[in-house]
């Protein structure tokens, strides 16, 4: 690991200023992702700005919904009453991720910004356009069992590994970010990007911008929702496929439906077409089956991950059926 | 041999448990030494070729760096100088002695610095260019290039009519594969080397065969055995990975010699996948023919195992098929396929773990084709004697294992049809398999010292890689001598202690346990001799069998007046301690019987109907390992092995990128082993009957047996649950949806 300078501001403005002032700066929160990347020589910041002491960890209900500070810990969010009672899908997704020890360190902002787990990204002896633009994509022709089936490009087939983000995508959250110049609010669906020719950019955050909070709008999904994660072992593994589903149902008619998937694309993947299909349909197995088929209609598997197509379809269906069983 | 059935199987806590959990016990990499510096290995980034240029200048200039060692500047060691010598002495990779690259991740440089972090950083600055040569890493597509093994101890077998299976009315003829697996004990490998001049070398090295390692090092360095000391006192798991000298050990020795100060080289977790061995992948074919009533008439078992291009590693994949079932007609065949990886090594139940997966899955398939209960099929084909040479078993309680485990599991309640049971979104299935493992005994020596206060020290150069050897030895000594466990200390893990075999192949209790047992009798005898000499009448006629030790005293059964304290006895002879050294080995029984441990495994699985996820929900193992010395550590051995079996069945697999000839995801994020949530309550039952011939304690080995057949039992349960037969491990969800 390269030597770096460590800063620990206690207010947001100082954090933003420190970033401006120091070339090669990077924020660090719970460190559960960034430290690994530094140890493996994947990133090598000259200045670490530790934001974990900033007062950005509250969880509060407002007129629009709940606002969660970027530095709230994954474990605290998962246990918070507002979340467990009004946004249980979020708690469910959080608890499906990592391990209790990691969740005790990991922050919401860090979770959203965690890098891919593609093994080629993690091995500096291998080509990876995301890590080293222009070096090629090792996974595309190599080992791609964990890779994307949606939205990949020739230059990158990596997937976004977060569980929390799948729920946030499903619930149309917004992200509030701040820079020295301005504050802006970004729709969750626009935050992460598809790789295209610039897979080194995971999202649309500008240099130096700090995530300060996320807001999840009020919803009527508390009754019918599910987060289901398929992985190679019972716990503590990244998703092969994960699914967040949520419904608003009245008299067996689906008024609103949300379907998002993890482990299948460079960003949390919303299945808009399937959602649209379900609106107005009855909450029957047949509707769910048809919707699940729509979810994977556009899937483009690689050599080792064709199973994900069927797995995604069946997991969507299973996640929906389980709500009513 | 008369087994004196005096060892109680009671559960005993580990004698070193507290030290281990409080950190008092120092593992190899934790041993503090003055003047110690740290070495970090740099691995090659190609699989095959030669080093064109290695640029160490930036690394050398980095803060704290003392030296960067490569093939260009390394001190040459006798054994590694010539490839012929290295081969002859079985030294493996000629680290820093050649510019050849023979596997991806091969150590090409060692960066030594004052601090570990400095060495780590500087290691990232070493740049190397290569001339690449084509590599072969894809096992599955090169099977036709397998060649017969040159191993002297493995043989292919032909018994009776080798075509018999194919003419039988019921048959199975299937192919199975098992992937490359990696040991990954919790503690990673590490070596610290300390030279005193050029004449004396001490290494602290994580291994579980201190004297074998010492002997190899002595040969490699052209030193006398006495000039090399190898210590490995506490071990955080080994599973076979600590049975040979690895490149990082030579690297530490080279660096310490060049720098004239102690050097520590620790292997990182990703390096554990390339530098310290692994279980080779196998491709197997099993063909079994049976009569209508389930009697096996012939078996053919062919196996190909992976090895490296610079050494041959061979293991007994088909061995279990030669002996487990009565079968007049048999053919086994084993070949090796050299690939561009590092050399494999023994990994718990080597050969049998993978061989039993194929054999016991095929047996399940046969049971289904016969429409016969798989337990019945095993009972039906029980071998009364060893089928190869008709030697009687020293003991074989396989049938009892089957009966006891089946009863505990409630096997009777099972509906035999596949896909016949479900619970909500899950298919539920049950399966079983059996296993066996040779029970061996090697000569072992123990030394004992009893002081006048009744403290007993016993020493032998064995290891405790995790099974609780220290505890078991203290227990055997206590039961054999009568001295309470709290007054006994067992010293192991140092090469200059009395000779003992390395810890592998489940030989420790049978071998070292025997030595400990015998040395306790010897100490008693010595005390008796003193008593006879100094106490006159009382002890004159006393027989050793009637002599007992209790509370620091010796006495004769039924003669309370005979009690005499050790202190008094020793004072009479003007000595302060009684000391003895003795070697124990098996007698002529060794050649007369076939010695094996046996086990039966029963598993219940849930398989998710939509996602293909598998959960093992129940597991029962019944094991015949002779008499059990310590129920607690023995049960832990079996449940630990079953956990490994769950890993083998459901998730363990080293992935590779064949384009680059390089492992991918070689860390704990990419290589999955079971977590707590994958492990159900494992019920372990022991037959607990003494083996009459292997040793006086009646104990057979139990380090491996818990794994053998475990993966097949789970796979068979998956078939029962889903009707899908997965013949290629691991059974990941993608194979079931
Ligand atoms: C072994 C392991 C298993 C895991 N399993 C899962 C899993 O199953 N599911 C899952 O979802 N996740 C999993 N994770 C990922 C884990 O959730 C993330 O590492 C964690 O959420 C990151 O949060 P952090 O606060 O530690 O981020 P850090 O590591 O501190 O930072 C991560 C990145 O975010 C940036 N950053 C952090 N906060 C801000 C902010 N407020 N504004 C701007 N930039 C910021 C940092 O600069 C850095 O680039 C796992 C991680 C590990 C190590």
């Amino acid at each position: 690991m390269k030597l770096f300078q460590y800063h620990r501001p206690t207010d947001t403005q100082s954090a933003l200023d420190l970033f401006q002032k120091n070339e090669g700066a990077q924020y660090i929160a719970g460190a559960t992702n960034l430290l690994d990347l530094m140890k493996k020589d994947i990133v090598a910041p000259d200045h670490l700005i530790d934001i974990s002491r900033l007062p950005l960890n509250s969880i509060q209900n407002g007129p629009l919904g709940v606002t969660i500070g970027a530095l709230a810990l994954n474990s605290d969010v998962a246990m918070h009453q507002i979340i467990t009672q009004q946004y249980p899908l979020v708690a469910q997704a959080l608890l499906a991720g990592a391990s209790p020890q990691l969740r005790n360190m990991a922050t919401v902002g860090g979770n959203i910004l965690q890098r891919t787990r593609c093994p080629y990204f993690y091995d500096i002896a291998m080509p990876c356009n995301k890590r080293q633009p222009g070096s090629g994509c090792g996974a595309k022709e190599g080992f791609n069992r964990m890779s994307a089936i949606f939205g990949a490009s020739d230059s990158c087939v990596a997937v976004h590994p977060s569980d929390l983000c799948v729920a946030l995508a499903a619930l149309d959250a917004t992200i509030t970010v701040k820079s020295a110049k301005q504050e802006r609010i970004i729709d969750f669906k626009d935050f992460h990007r598809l790789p295209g020719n610039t897979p080194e950019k995971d999202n649309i955050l500008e240099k130096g911008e700090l995530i300060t909070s996320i807001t999840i709008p009020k919803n009527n999904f508390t009754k019918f929702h599910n987060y289901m994660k398929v992985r190679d072992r019972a716990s503590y593994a990244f998703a092969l496929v994960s699914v967040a589903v949520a419904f608003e149902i009245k008299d067996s008619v689906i008024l609103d439906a949300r379907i998002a998937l993890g482990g299948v694309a460079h960003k949390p993947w919303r299945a808009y077409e399937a959602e649209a299909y379900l609106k107005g349909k009855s909450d029957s197995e047949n509707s769910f089956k048809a919707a699940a088929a729509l979810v994977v209609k556009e899937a483009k598997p690689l050599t080792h991950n064709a199973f994900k197509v069927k797995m995604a379809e069946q997991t969507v269906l299973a996640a929906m059926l389980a709500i009513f069983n | 041999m008369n087994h004196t059935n005096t060892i109680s199987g009671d559960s005993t806590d580990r004698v070193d448990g507290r030290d281990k959990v409080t950190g008092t016990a120092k593992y190899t990499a934790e041993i503090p030494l003055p003047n110690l510096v740290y070495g970090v290995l740099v691995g090659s980034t190609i699989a095959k070729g030669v080093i064109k240029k290695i640029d160490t200048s930036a690394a050398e200039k980095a803060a704290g760096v003392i030296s960067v060692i490569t093939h260009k500047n390394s001190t040459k060691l006798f054994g590694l100088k010539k490839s012929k010598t290295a081969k002859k002495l079985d030294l493996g990779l000629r680290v820093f002695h050649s510019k050849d690259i023979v596997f991806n991740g091969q150590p090409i440089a060692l960066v030594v610095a004052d601090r570990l972090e400095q060495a780590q950083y500087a290691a990232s600055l070493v740049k190397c260019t290569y001339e690449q040569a084509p590599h072969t890493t894809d096992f599955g597509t090169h099977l036709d290039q397998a060649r017969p093994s040159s191993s002297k101890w493995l043989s292919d077998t032909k018994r009776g009519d080798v075509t018999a299976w194919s003419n039988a009315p019921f048959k199975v003829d299937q192919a199975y594969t098992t992937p490359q697996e990696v040991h990954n004990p919790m503690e990673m490998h590490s070596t610290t080397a300390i030279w005193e001049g050029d004449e004396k070398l001490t290494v602290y090295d994580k291994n579980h065969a201190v004297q074998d390692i010492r002997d190899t090092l002595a040969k490699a360095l052209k030193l006398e055995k006495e000039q090399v000391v190898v210590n490995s006192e506490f071990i955080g798991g080994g599973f076979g990975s600590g049975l040979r000298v690895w490149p990082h050990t030579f690297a530490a020795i080279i660096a310490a010699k060049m720098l004239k100060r102690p050097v520590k080289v620790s292997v990182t977790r990703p390096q554990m996948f390339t530098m310290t061995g692994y279980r080779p992948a196998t491709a197997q074919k099993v063909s079994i023919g049976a009569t209508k009533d389930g009697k096996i008439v012939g078996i053919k078992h062919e196996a190909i195992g992976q090895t490296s291009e610079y050494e041959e590693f061979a293991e007994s994949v088909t061995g279990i098929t030669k002996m487990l079932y009565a079968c007049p007609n048999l053919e086994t065949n084993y070949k090796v396929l050299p690939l561009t990886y590092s050399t494999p090594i023994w990994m718990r139940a080597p050969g049998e773990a993978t061989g039993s997966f194929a054999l016991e899955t095929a047996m399940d398939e046969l049971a289904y084709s016969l429409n016969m209960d798989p337990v019945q099929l095993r009972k039906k084909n029980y071998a009364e004697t060893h089928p190869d040479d008709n030697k009687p078993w020293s003991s074989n309680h396989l049938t009892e294992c089957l009966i006891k485990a089946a009863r505990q599991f409630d096997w009777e309640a099972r509906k035999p049809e596949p896909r016949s049971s479900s619970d909500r979104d899950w298919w539920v299935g049950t399966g079983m398999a059996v296993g066996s493992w040779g029970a061996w005994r090697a000569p072992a020596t123990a030394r004992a010292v009893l002081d006048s206060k009744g403290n007993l020290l016993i020493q032998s150069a064995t290891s405790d890689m995790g099974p609780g050897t220290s505890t078991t030895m203290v227990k055997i000594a206590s039961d054999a001598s009568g001295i309470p466990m709290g007054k006994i200390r067992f010293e192991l893990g140092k090469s200059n202690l009395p000779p003992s075999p390395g810890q592998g192949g489940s030989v420790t209790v049978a071998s070292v346990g025997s030595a400990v047992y015998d040395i306790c009798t010897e100490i008693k005898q010595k005390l008796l001799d003193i008593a006879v000499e100094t106490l006159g009448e009382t002890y004159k006629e006393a027989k050793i069998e009637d002599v007992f030790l209790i509370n620091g005293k010796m006495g004769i059964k039924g003669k309370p007046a005979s009690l005499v304290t050790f202190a008094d006895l020793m004072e009479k002879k003007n000595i302060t301690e009684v000391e003895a050294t003795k070697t124990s080995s098996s007698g002529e029984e060794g050649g007369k019987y076939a010695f094996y441990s046996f086990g039966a495994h029963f598993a219940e699985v849930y398989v998710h109907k939509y996602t293909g996820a598998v959960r093992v929900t129940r597991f029962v193992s019944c094991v015949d390992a002779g008499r059990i010395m310590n129920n607690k550590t023995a049960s832990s051995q079996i449940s630990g092995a079953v956990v490994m079996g769950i890993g083998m069945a459901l998730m363990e697999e080293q992935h590779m990128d064949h384009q680059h000839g390089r492992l991918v995801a070689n860390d704990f994020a990419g290589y999955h082993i079971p977590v707590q949530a994958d492990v159900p309550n494992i019920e372990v039952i022991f037959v607990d009957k003494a083996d009459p011939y292997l040793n006086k304690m009646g104990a057979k080995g139990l380090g491996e047996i818990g794994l053998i057949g475990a993966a097949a039992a789970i796979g068979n349960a998956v078939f029962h649950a889903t009707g899908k037969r997965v013949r290629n491990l691991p059974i990941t969800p993608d194979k079931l949806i």
Side-chain angles (χ1 to χ4, degrees):
Chain A
M1 194 192 291
K2 201 177 74 175
L3 289 183
F4 56 84
Q5 246 187 310
Y6 175 78
H7 311 264
R8 199 164 76 193
T10 50
D11 65 277
T12 308
Q13 195 53 48
S14 313
L16 295 171
D17 291 347
L18 277 166
F19 197 102
Q20 287 295 312
K21 259 194 274 163
N22 293 297
E23 193 54 38
Q26 192 156 358
Y27 298 123
I28 187 162
T32 61
N33 189 210
L34 186 54
L35 190 59
D36 279 355
L37 299 174
M38 290 170 68
K39 286 195 282 194
K40 293 199 153 218
D41 297 315
I42 296 159
V43 292
D46 295 307
H47 294 266
L48 274 188
I49 302 170
D50 183 348
I51 54 174
S52 63
R53 306 303 198 274
L54 305 189
L56 297 173
N57 55 2
S58 64
I59 301 169
Q60 272 166 337
N61 252 334
L64 297 174
V66 65
T67 295
I68 304 170
L71 290 161
L73 299 177
N74 286 359
S75 48
D76 289 344
V77 179
M79 297 301 166
H80 198 279
Q81 226 181 23
I82 296 175
I83 304 300
T84 55
Q85 289 178 2
Q86 295 164 42
Y87 305 89
L89 182 64
V90 171
Q92 227 187 330
L94 276 168
L95 294 177
S99 67
Q101 295 91 329
L102 281 157
R103 294 195 295 268
N104 283 338
M105 290 300 291
T107 64
V108 165
N111 190 305
I112 295 169
L113 293 174
Q114 64 175 297
R115 310 298 310 269
T116 183
R117 291 280 159 173
C118 178
Y120 292 85
F121 179 73
Y122 267 82
D123 182 354
I124 57 167
M126 288 290 208
C128 172
N129 287 323
K130 184 180 276 300
R131 175 172 32 80
Q132 202 188 338
S135 63
C137 173
K140 195 163 170 289
E141 304 299 329
F143 172 74
N144 50 42
R145 180 171 180 267
M146 301 298 287
S147 305
I149 54 170
F150 297 115
S153 68
D154 274 347
S155 60
C156 182
V157 297
V159 301
H160 194 266
S162 167
D163 290 296
L164 169 65
C165 291
V166 182
L168 295 180
L171 298 177
D172 278 340
T174 57
I175 300 181
T176 305
V177 305
K178 208 169 183 172
S179 68
K181 293 188 300 248
Q182 59 163 353
E183 182 176 272
R184 58 180 182 137
I185 295 174
I186 306 168
D187 283 345
F188 201 87
K189 68 175 186 340
D190 302 326
F191 185 79
H192 294 101
R193 342 173 23 256
L194 289 178
N197 291 325
T198 49
E200 67 274 17
K201 279 181 76 66
D202 292 349
N203 52 57
I204 62 162
L205 204 63
E206 301 278 339
K207 199 171 162 200
E209 270 182 329
L210 186 73
I211 298 183
T212 51
S213 66
I214 57 162
T215 299
I216 311 171
K218 281 196 175 134
N219 64 55
N220 295 317
F221 299 132
T222 38
K223 197 151 170 225
F224 304 109
H225 65 87
N226 197 7
Y227 187 78
M228 196 157 166
K229 181 176 180 183
V230 189
R231 42 192 155 178
D232 282 323
R233 62 182 172 197
S235 179
Y236 200 29
F238 289 96
L240 294 167
V241 168
S242 70
V243 172
V245 288
F247 297 110
E248 190 183 334
I249 293 172
K250 202 169 168 215
D251 302 331
S252 277
V253 174
I254 299 170
L255 303 182
D256 194 1
R258 301 288 172 83
I259 307 169
L261 288 86
V264 294
H266 197 257
K267 60 185 287 184
W269 193 253
R270 271 286 285 274
Y272 290 110
E273 201 184 333
E275 290 176 7
Y277 167 84
L278 282 172
K279 274 179 208 159
K281 298 275 184 321
S282 73
D283 59 355
S284 69
E285 180 159 355
N286 280 344
S287 318
F288 298 150
K289 268 195 180 143
L294 280 177
V295 168
V296 295
K297 212 178 67 184
E298 307 283 325
K300 288 199 181 62
L302 303 159
T303 30
H304 303 132
N305 68 358
F307 72 90
K308 279 193 179 184
V309 180
K310 192 165 179 201
M311 187 176 275
E313 180 176 354
Q314 298 201 161
T315 307
V316 167
L317 177 61
M320 291 177 177
L321 291 174
I323 298 175
F324 304 94
N325 286 343
Chain B
M1 187 182 297
N2 267 333
H3 61 89
T4 13
N5 223 341
T6 52
I7 314 295
S8 77
D10 299 354
S11 287
T12 302
D13 289 345
R14 285 176 186 248
V15 294
D16 48 9
R18 173 174 265 276
D19 287 350
K20 283 184 172 176
V21 298
T22 55
T24 314
K26 290 276 173 269
Y27 291 82
T28 298
E30 300 176 317
I31 291 165
L33 284 168
N35 211 20
L36 179 67
V37 290
Y38 301 81
V40 168
L41 288 166
V42 180
S44 74
T45 55
I46 65 154
K48 201 168 173 177
V50 290
I51 296 174
K52 232 172 26 197
K53 186 164 182 296
I54 185 156
D55 178 4
T56 57
S57 53
E60 276 157 17
K61 282 191 215 109
V65 172
I66 298 164
S67 175
V68 182
I69 299 167
T70 69
H71 69 285
K72 288 196 328 211
N73 62 353
S74 169
T75 283
K76 300 292 181 257
L77 303 183
F78 164 75
L80 297 182
K81 230 181 269 172
K82 293 200 189 110
S83 79
K84 235 171 86 184
T85 329
K87 266 220 153 69
K88 203 175 114 209
L89 299 179
D90 205 12
L91 301 180
L93 183 79
R94 291 169 58 225
V95 64
F96 305 153
H97 280 64
S98 152
K99 60 182 195 308
D100 294 341
I101 299 297
V102 290
F103 64 87
N104 212 321
Q106 168 185 329
I108 54 167
L110 181 78
V111 180
V112 187
D114 290 324
R115 298 209 324 259
L116 176 63
E117 295 78 2
Q118 293 169 328
Q120 282 169 335
Y121 172 61
S124 75
L125 303 176
V126 173
K127 297 284 168 275
C128 187
T129 54
Y130 308 89
E131 202 147 339
Q132 258 181 280
H135 57 258
T136 312
T137 53
D138 194 347
F139 181 72
T141 58
H142 291 88
L143 295 176
D144 55 339
Q145 287 168 28
R147 55 163 164 74
S149 155
S150 58
S151 159
K152 289 190 192 73
W153 63 277
L154 284 177
S155 58
D156 292 338
T157 304
K158 280 190 179 151
R159 191 194 297 158
D161 171 11
V162 297
T163 63
W165 71 269
S166 61
N167 302 320
F170 289 85
K171 49 186 173 255
V172 177
D173 180 22
Q174 289 292 355
Y176 306 87
T177 63
T178 63
Q180 185 169 320
E181 289 180 7
V182 190
H183 306 70
N184 276 317
M186 195 176 345
E187 179 202 16
M188 292 171 282
H189 282 265
S190 176
T191 305
T192 302
I194 308 139
W195 284 93
E196 288 162 50
D198 286 333
E199 299 296 305
K200 173 114 203 267
L201 171 69
T202 301
V203 298
Y204 293 91
D205 174 53
K206 177 214 172 92
N207 68 68
H208 38 98
V210 280
Q211 290 183 331
D212 295 344
I213 301 292
R214 175 201 59 192
D215 295 355
T216 304
L217 290 180
K219 278 188 229 152
L221 302 168
K222 229 183 172 176
L223 293 173
E224 297 300 323
K225 283 183 189 178
E226 295 68 37
Q227 293 172 285
V228 180
V229 175
V230 176
N231 294 329
S232 188
E233 195 180 352
F234 292 101
I235 305 168
F239 308 120
S241 68
L243 287 172
R244 85 175 292 192
V245 178
W246 295 112
H248 70 274
T249 301
F250 283 125
I253 289 169
I254 288 169
K257 196 170 170 107
M258 289 171 70
L259 303 177
K260 300 191 190 318
R261 61 194 290 187
V263 176
K264 170 153 75 187
V265 179
S266 296
V267 170
T268 65
R269 182 61 67 184
Q271 288 173 343
M272 290 282 291
F273 289 72
T274 51
M275 294 186 188
T276 56
Y278 54 89
R279 188 196 298 286
T282 70
Q284 305 179 54
K285 278 178 82 177
V286 178
S287 318
I288 314 180
T291 59
K292 195 166 146 254
D293 61 349
K295 196 92 198 106
I296 295 175
V297 289
I299 311 182
K300 181 174 180 183
H301 188 168
E302 299 167 284
I304 297 171
Q306 149 191 24
T307 183
S308 72
E309 288 171 346
Y310 59 97
E311 278 182 292
E312 179 176 310
F313 174 81
E315 57 180 9
S316 174
V317 178
T318 62
I320 191 166
T321 306
K322 300 179 192 178
M323 50 65 61
L324 193 53
Y325 299 113
C327 167
N329 306 304
L330 176 91
E331 182 177 5
T332 69
N333 179 295
Y334 172 76
K335 287 183 178 153
V336 289
L337 173 58
L339 294 174
T340 321
Y341 292 109
S342 58
T343 310
I345 187 72
W346 316 113
M347 178 162 156
R348 199 179 205 166
E352 260 77 350
T354 45
S356 68
F357 169 70
L359 176 67
E360 286 297 286
T361 308
M363 284 295 281
D364 200 61
E365 301 196 52
L366 181 64
Y368 275 99
S369 81
L370 286 161
N371 204 5
M372 185 172 182
D373 179 71
V375 175
Q376 280 312 318
L377 180 64
R378 266 80 174 186
K379 285 186 188 162
K380 180 105 194 166
N381 291 288
Y382 174 81
E384 296 291 342
T385 56
H386 192 297
D388 248 356
D389 50 17
N390 282 321
K391 267 189 199 165
W393 305 113
S394 63
S395 58
N396 180 343
H397 302 293
L398 178 59
T399 306
E400 189 170 336
C401 289
L402 282 166
I403 293 168
K404 285 202 159 127
R407 191 187 307 138
Q408 182 66 23
F409 192 81
D410 197 16
W411 181 258
E412 289 293 301
R414 177 186 202 247
K415 279 185 266 173
E417 303 76 36
R419 240 181 215 267
S420 55
S421 171
S422 67
D423 181 0
R424 289 159 298 146
D425 283 347
W426 302 78
W427 296 113
V428 184
T430 53
M432 56 79 55
V434 301
S436 64
W437 179 259
W440 289 284
R441 176 173 173 190
T445 308
R447 172 176 180 263
V449 184
L450 177 71
D451 72 13
S452 59
K453 296 199 184 77
N455 297 304
L456 180 65
L457 169 70
I458 303 180
Q459 302 171 309
S460 186
T462 182
S463 302
D464 185 354
M465 65 163 142
T469 306
S470 305
T471 311
T472 305
M473 295 306 150
V474 167
K475 186 144 187 307
I476 289 173
S478 175
D479 286 352
S481 66
I483 295 170
M485 286 187 64
K487 297 215 112 188
I488 304 175
R489 198 162 71 83
F490 184 71
E491 200 182 347
L492 49 52
K494 296 177 182 149
S495 65
N496 55 14
L497 295 175
S500 153
Q503 191 159 52
S506 305
V507 301
T508 307
V509 167
S511 312
V512 185
S514 297
V516 167
Y517 188 95
D518 289 347
I519 201 68
C520 290
T521 314
E522 187 73 12
I523 287 286
K524 246 195 214 173
Q525 183 66 52
K526 286 215 162 171
L527 288 172
L528 175 59
D529 292 347
I530 299 173
V532 171
E533 186 189 327
T534 59
L535 298 179
E537 274 314 303
T538 333
Y539 274 87
K540 203 142 222 165
E541 304 290 303
K543 292 205 197 77
I544 184 77
E545 301 86 65
D546 295 331
V547 170
F548 63 90
L549 309 182
I550 189 166
N551 293 337
K553 300 189 188 95
M554 180 168 72
I556 305 168
K557 274 184 211 153
K559 286 195 187 172
S562 67
L563 280 175
V564 52
T565 66
F566 300 155
D568 286 347
L569 263 181
M570 290 184 197
E571 208 189 298
K572 289 228 158 45
K573 282 285 280 183
N574 216 2
I575 52 175
T576 53
E577 55 186 38
V578 173
E579 187 254 334
T581 302
K582 196 172 175 191
T583 302
S584 304
S585 34
S586 56
E588 56 189 34
E589 301 82 15
K592 285 195 207 148
Y593 298 94
F595 297 93
Y596 287 87
S597 294
F598 296 91
H601 305 292
F602 287 71
E604 178 191 76
V605 301
Y606 272 50
V607 182
H608 199 278
K609 288 176 183 173
Y610 296 91
T611 68
V614 183
R615 303 278 178 269
V616 180
T617 46
R618 279 199 299 144
F619 208 100
V620 175
S621 280
C622 183
V623 169
D624 162 24
R627 280 276 287 143
I628 299 307
M629 301 289 102
N630 179 359
N631 215 47
K632 192 168 187 175
T633 49
S635 298
S636 296
Q637 273 297 291
I638 302 301
S639 28
V642 170
V643 173
M644 225 163 174
I646 294 172
M648 180 177 172
L650 302 183
M651 61 197 87
E652 287 197 49
E653 176 176 23
Q654 178 54 57
H655 297 292
M656 10 253 175
D657 176 306
H658 298 304
Q659 199 183 333
H660 299 89
R662 191 170 167 86
L663 304 185
V664 281
N666 49 323
D667 56 29
F668 273 154
Y671 184 93
H672 289 144
I673 55 171
V675 295
Q676 291 294 349
D678 292 294
V679 181
N681 180 32
I682 299 164
E683 295 173 76
V684 179
I685 307 165
F686 291 112
V687 171
D688 200 12
K689 284 187 182 152
D691 183 284
Y693 305 112
L694 189 61
N695 52 54
K696 286 184 190 144
M697 292 111 37
K700 304 193 268 193
L702 55 67
E704 344 269 325
I705 187 68
L707 178 57
I708 303 166
I714 293 166
N716 294 341
V718 167
F719 173 76
H720 182 234
T722 62
K724 247 185 210 166
R725 183 67 71 179
V726 181
R727 299 186 183 90
N728 309 306
L729 290 183
I731 308 171
T732 41
D734 48 302
K735 294 179 185 164
L736 290 170
I737 54 158

